[in-house]
Amino acid sequence: MTFRNWWKSALLTMLAVCLVPIWATQVFSQTLAATPPMGWNSWNHFHRTIDDKIVRTQADAMVSSGMRDAGYIYVNIDDTWEGERDAQGNIQTNSKFPDMKALADYVHSKGLKLGIYSSPGAKTCAGYEGSLGHEEQDATTYAAWGIDYLKYDLCGLRTQLKAAPTPEAAHKMMVDAYIKMRDALRKTGRPIVYSLCQYGNDAVWRWGTDVGGNLWHTTGDITDKYDRMAEIGFSQAGLARFAGPGHWNDPDMLEVGNGGMNPEEYRQHMSLWAILAAPLLAGNDLTTMSPETVALLTNREVIAIDRDSLGKQGDRVTAEGPLEIWAKPLSDGSKAVGVFNRHTTALSIPVDFKQLGFKGSVQVRDIWQARDLGTMKDSYTVTVPPHGVVLLRVK
Amino acid sequence: MTFRNWWKSALLTMLAVCLVPIWATQVFSQTLAATPPMGWNSWNHFHRTIDDKIVRTQADAMVSSGMRDAGYIYVNIDDTWEGERDAQGNIQTNSKFPDMKALADYVHSKGLKLGIYSSPGAKTCAGYEGSLGHEEQDATTYAAWGIDYLKYDLCGLRTQLKAAPTPEAAHKMMVDAYIKMRDALRKTGRPIVYSLCQYGNDAVWRWGTDVGGNLWHTTGDITDKYDRMAEIGFSQAGLARFAGPGHWNDPDMLEVGNGGMNPEEYRQHMSLWAILAAPLLAGNDLTTMSPETVALLTNREVIAIDRDSLGKQGDRVTAEGPLEIWAKPLSDGSKAVGVFNRHTTALSIPVDFKQLGFKGSVQVRDIWQARDLGTMKDSYTVTVPPHGVVLLRVK
């Protein structure tokens, strides 16, 4: 090799060393969660009772109910699957999950993916074994099992964060913990969606992408009550600019079908989450769904709004007290428009198309009624049921 | 009298007949509740236990605590004071209130005003005698007692409203009921503040002024919990244009000092209500207030924001998830700016003075810290405690 050729080769090697990680980062962020993840999570309904058998029956129901074909792919096991570590420090499952690899194979055989849960602390929220000091080892184990999604819950690190000498030190500790697991997951080579269960602390939307999050909780936990759902959903305004393909704001899982809200309230919940381009993780028992619940969860046009390829989260356009109009730009130039009524009586409000950025006449479709309303000009007055929504697609 | 003079006189009489009611309406709406009413109401703390003795001790405490001198004037008795009607149909007090006239005299002797409660239905919310069919008679009684404020609670009319054949018929029934009592109150000649306790039904802010309301509840009842306070307060956006001197949006009474929220949360509550130009009706036990509660309720600069003579309700300027910036224009050209954190961890956010409508450099004062922060340009980054607020006055 001449000196010149050596230089050439060295330069190329250096370039490759520099560029490959950048390229890899791009690939990971572009292909993983290019649209908001959809699936199911065990916590909202099954809490600590989740086990291997339930996961299998839920996976079966995901297929038989038509949810898989509507886009729900991830079957996510929340906290309480963890056992002790073995002599080498490898994480084991507890007796509720006799063979995680076999479970993953089963779930994969259904055309679904399997998700799991851990914490950057020594213990998880429910007091099980966390990943602190075992990040690489755990990521390797997850990959070997065939895990496709990790929800990483800050909860277990709370004591340490509180003990930090300054808020800045606590922030750095938290960020470092998330980066550590990001790097561990990437090192496995397996595409594993990385969900920061992080309660919105320190405005996670501002730095969630930097630590490799494909999604991050923007709030505390949802509950199956209208007030809580509305409190979370309607306080997502102004977060749109932080989300996009591969990195999503997550206002927490769905409560649709769990029984604590009426059908109008669940319709509002589902519509708002779609406009927010929120991850759609069902949180109900999929084996006992009413036809109404299936219809709410699998409405193709609503799901199409959520996972529109443009990847733009919607935002509030206007409010008149409990009446709020939100809009989400879609890839075909149309907009999804949600007219939400947070009040306990029916209320009417004109939807002003100019205010929504349209000029001239528009074509309007009522999504939940699955009905084209024809061509309109200026505005369209809708009456929205108590705690309800009118969801339009305007072009 | 010549024919010409007769004509002159007749014309003048006709003019007077036509103009006096218009003039009277103007006077009433201009002088009554020219700024948002301030005072105290019995419901949040005492519920059904309110009686003559408690009202007197609360009135005493309103004076001794300095609240009266800070602007709290109305002492309002909520539901459960009502007795039966006598043979002539005149409403009587029940045994808890042996002599309402004497009580009014006592309250007046303290430099305060007395408020009372009724319903357009046959019964009140708590099942006592309502005003249905006795509106004029009741208004006359109130005036004779020396009542200065009436909270008129839709509650008792609910059954009839539900039985209405159409939503339009129900709406008309409700509106007519409020107009009937408005006219009855006006006929007494006594200035009685008219509060529509109406839960925001049928978007009352759109027609509350038309039925003579000096204030109207825009929402259901507040409770002494942060989530409920925040749900109500932050959903008042977009209602500013419906409020002004003599007619105010009322997001319900204060819970400050009742013990269900921490000091930061109460500070947020008080600040938000001030920016909303909301009526400030304390709902706590005034005889057992901590110095912190007194300081929160009587902060002169906060009260000055609420009852600024311009009478403009504030509105949300921007939101970034749980961080919301609200502003209220004030009569001296300055603006009250509330930076609210609805999250459970401290968060920082820059306040952009240009976005708030200011050009060049501004003078900034931190209201709760009672500290001039000097001259600033462009923006000022504030760190807001969990569920807290930084309240600025910017000029």
Side-chain angles (χ1 to χ4, degrees):
Chain A
M1 195 185 280
T2 62
F3 182 74
R4 192 180 208 147
N5 279 352
W6 178 87
W7 253 115
K8 248 185 174 166
S9 162
L11 258 174
L12 281 171
T13 309
M14 280 163 68
L15 258 173
V17 167
C18 294
L19 291 178
V20 162
I22 294 171
W23 166 83
T25 304
Q26 293 289 326
V27 167
F28 268 106
S29 64
Q30 276 175 17
T31 56
L32 257 187
T35 57
M38 289 177 65
W40 174 88
N41 174 292
S42 60
W43 192 256
N44 284 2
H45 186 82
F46 291 100
H47 306 281
R48 291 163 181 254
T49 67
I50 188 69
D51 63 18
D52 178 281
K53 188 159 173 285
I54 294 175
V55 173
R56 287 172 193 253
T57 54
Q58 294 296 314
D60 293 348
M62 199 117 115
V63 178
S64 62
S65 65
M67 282 185 65
R68 180 194 63 188
D69 295 344
Y72 293 85
I73 294 298
Y74 290 96
V75 179
N76 292 347
I77 304 164
D78 212 281
D79 204 353
T80 78
W81 64 265
E82 308 89 339
E84 301 296 307
R85 295 188 178 277
D86 69 10
Q88 287 72 48
N90 295 308
I91 187 79
Q92 311 288 308
T93 55
N94 62 40
S95 60
K96 297 195 296 168
F97 290 87
D99 188 340
M100 194 62 90
K101 173 83 175 67
L103 179 57
D105 289 346
Y106 182 80
V107 168
H108 291 155
S109 77
K110 298 275 172 178
L112 301 168
K113 292 173 184 288
L114 189 65
I116 213 168
Y117 170 101
S118 191
S119 169
K123 294 288 172 192
T124 66
C125 235
Y128 288 76
E129 194 67 19
S131 290
L132 184 67
H134 296 273
E135 291 82 1
E136 282 206 17
Q137 215 168 4
D138 286 359
T140 306
T141 303
Y142 303 156
W145 285 341
I147 297 295
D148 307 293
Y149 187 115
L150 174 67
K151 175 174 171 182
Y152 205 47
D153 188 342
L154 184 71
C155 186
L157 205 67
R158 278 187 184 163
T159 318
Q160 287 97 315
L161 292 175
K162 274 188 186 156
T166 62
E168 292 71 25
H171 179 72
K172 188 172 183 314
M173 187 187 294
M174 178 167 60
V175 164
D176 287 350
Y178 276 106
I179 288 177
K180 191 168 256 179
M181 184 52 92
R182 170 198 69 186
D183 292 345
L185 291 174
R186 287 194 177 160
K187 209 169 167 185
T188 68
R190 186 175 176 84
I192 298 175
V193 170
Y194 190 27
S195 161
L196 318 184
C197 175
Q198 206 274 343
Y199 313 105
N201 292 3
D202 293 10
V204 62
W205 46 89
R206 295 181 188 159
W207 50 270
T209 306
D210 302 336
V211 303
N214 298 115
L215 62 159
W216 45 79
H217 281 212
T218 53
T219 75
D221 281 5
I222 197 169
T223 63
D224 191 20
K225 286 181 181 151
Y226 178 78
D227 276 359
R228 182 65 185 152
M229 182 282 291
E231 159 76 15
I232 289 180
F234 293 106
S235 67
Q236 302 297 303
L239 297 184
R241 68 180 190 275
F242 302 103
H247 52 105
W248 307 99
N249 292 307
D250 177 8
D252 208 2
M253 304 170 292
L254 297 172
E255 291 284 4
V256 175
N258 275 330
M261 296 183 232
N262 69 38
E264 286 300 339
E265 293 170 336
Y266 281 136
R267 195 191 312 279
Q268 188 183 93
H269 180 15
M270 191 73 193
S271 306
L272 183 51
W273 262 236
I275 282 191
L276 292 171
L280 298 178
L281 295 167
N284 56 322
D285 181 353
L286 306 182
T287 66
T288 59
M289 286 189 285
S290 68
E292 290 73 25
T293 296
V294 176
L296 275 173
L297 286 170
T298 61
N299 184 300
R300 292 297 199 281
E301 294 186 64
V302 177
I303 290 171
I305 291 169
D306 183 82
R307 56 191 337 203
D308 179 82
S309 62
L310 191 61
K312 281 224 183 267
Q313 179 175 331
D315 214 332
R316 181 168 44 219
V317 178
T318 181
E320 183 190 320
L323 286 161
E324 299 197 8
I325 300 180
W326 289 61
K328 179 185 197 285
L330 302 172
S331 51
D332 66 351
S334 69
K335 280 183 181 171
V337 177
V339 188
F340 298 96
N341 179 5
R342 302 172 67 176
H343 196 261
T344 49
T345 60
L347 294 175
S348 295
I349 189 169
V351 177
D352 180 333
F353 298 122
K354 213 168 156 188
Q355 196 173 33
L356 289 166
F358 291 100
K359 283 175 195 163
S361 61
V362 291
Q363 283 170 348
V364 181
R365 180 171 170 79
D366 186 313
I367 297 290
W368 287 110
Q369 289 197 34
R371 201 157 59 88
D372 287 324
L373 303 178
T375 305
M376 297 187 182
K377 271 188 84 167
D378 303 328
S379 80
Y380 170 50
T381 295
V382 296
T383 300
V384 194
H387 289 182
V389 63
V390 171
L391 185 62
L392 305 172
R393 191 159 173 147
V394 182
K395 195 172 182 172
Chain B
M1 195 187 278
T2 62
F3 182 72
R4 193 183 210 147
N5 278 353
W6 178 85
W7 253 116
K8 244 184 175 170
S9 163
L11 256 174
L12 281 171
T13 307
M14 280 162 68
L15 259 175
V17 167
C18 295
L19 291 179
V20 161
I22 294 171
W23 167 82
T25 304
Q26 293 290 325
V27 166
F28 268 108
S29 65
Q30 277 175 17
T31 54
L32 257 187
T35 58
M38 289 177 67
W40 175 88
N41 174 292
S42 60
W43 191 256
N44 285 2
H45 186 83
F46 291 99
H47 307 280
R48 292 163 180 254
T49 67
I50 188 68
D51 63 19
D52 178 282
K53 187 158 174 284
I54 295 175
V55 174
R56 286 172 194 254
T57 54
Q58 294 297 314
D60 294 347
M62 198 118 115
V63 178
S64 62
S65 65
M67 283 185 64
R68 179 194 64 188
D69 294 343
Y72 294 85
I73 294 298
Y74 290 95
V75 179
N76 292 346
I77 304 164
D78 212 283
D79 204 353
T80 78
W81 63 267
E82 309 90 340
E84 301 296 309
R85 295 189 179 277
D86 68 12
Q88 287 73 46
N90 295 308
I91 186 79
Q92 311 288 308
T93 54
N94 62 39
S95 61
K96 297 195 298 168
F97 290 88
D99 187 340
M100 193 63 90
K101 174 83 175 68
L103 180 57
D105 289 346
Y106 182 81
V107 168
H108 291 154
S109 77
K110 298 275 172 178
L112 300 168
K113 292 173 184 290
L114 189 66
I116 213 168
Y117 169 102
S118 191
S119 169
K123 294 288 172 192
T124 67
C125 235
Y128 288 76
E129 195 67 18
S131 291
L132 185 67
H134 296 273
E135 292 81 1
E136 281 205 18
Q137 214 168 5
D138 286 358
T140 307
T141 303
Y142 304 157
W145 284 340
I147 297 296
D148 307 294
Y149 186 114
L150 175 67
K151 176 175 171 181
Y152 205 48
D153 187 341
L154 184 70
C155 186
L157 204 68
R158 277 186 184 163
T159 317
Q160 288 97 314
L161 292 175
K162 274 187 186 159
T166 63
E168 292 72 26
H171 179 71
K172 187 171 184 312
M173 186 187 294
M174 178 166 60
V175 165
D176 287 350
Y178 276 106
I179 289 177
K180 190 169 257 178
M181 184 51 93
R182 171 199 68 185
D183 292 345
L185 291 174
R186 286 192 179 162
K187 209 170 167 186
T188 67
R190 185 175 177 85
I192 298 175
V193 169
Y194 189 28
S195 161
L196 318 184
C197 175
Q198 206 275 343
Y199 313 106
N201 292 3
D202 293 9
V204 61
W205 46 88
R206 296 181 188 159
W207 50 270
T209 306
D210 303 336
V211 303
N214 298 113
L215 62 159
W216 44 80
H217 282 211
T218 53
T219 75
D221 281 5
I222 197 168
T223 62
D224 190 21
K225 285 180 182 153
Y226 179 77
D227 276 359
R228 182 65 185 151
M229 182 281 292
E231 160 76 14
I232 289 181
F234 293 107
S235 66
Q236 302 298 302
L239 297 185
R241 67 181 189 275
F242 302 103
H247 52 106
W248 306 100
N249 292 307
D250 176 9
D252 207 2
M253 303 170 291
L254 297 171
E255 291 283 6
V256 176
N258 275 331
M261 297 183 230
N262 70 38
E264 286 300 339
E265 293 170 336
Y266 282 137
R267 195 189 312 277
Q268 188 182 95
H269 180 17
M270 191 72 193
S271 306
L272 183 52
W273 263 236
I275 283 190
L276 293 171
L280 298 178
L281 294 167
N284 56 322
D285 181 353
L286 305 182
T287 65
T288 59
M289 287 189 284
S290 69
E292 290 72 25
T293 297
V294 176
L296 276 173
L297 286 170
T298 61
N299 184 300
R300 293 295 199 282
E301 294 186 63
V302 177
I303 290 172
I305 291 169
D306 182 81
R307 56 190 339 202
D308 179 81
S309 62
L310 191 60
K312 280 223 183 268
Q313 179 174 333
D315 214 333
R316 181 168 44 219
V317 178
T318 181
E320 181 188 321
L323 285 162
E324 300 197 8
I325 300 180
W326 290 61
K328 178 185 198 285
L330 302 172
S331 51
D332 65 351
S334 69
K335 279 184 181 169
V337 177
V339 188
F340 297 96
N341 179 6
R342 302 172 68 175
H343 195 261
T344 50
T345 59
L347 294 176
S348 294
I349 190 168
V351 178
D352 182 332
F353 298 121
K354 214 169 157 187
Q355 196 172 32
L356 289 165
F358 291 101
K359 282 176 195 164
S361 61
V362 292
Q363 283 170 348
V364 182
R365 179 169 171 82
D366 186 311
I367 297 290
W368 286 111
Q369 289 198 35
R371 201 157 60 87
D372 287 323
L373 302 177
T375 305
M376 297 186 180
K377 271 188 84 167
D378 303 327
S379 79
Y380 170 50
T381 295
V382 296
T383 300
V384 194
H387 288 182
V389 63
V390 171
L391 185 62
L392 305 172
R393 190 159 173 148
V394 181
K395 195 172 182 171

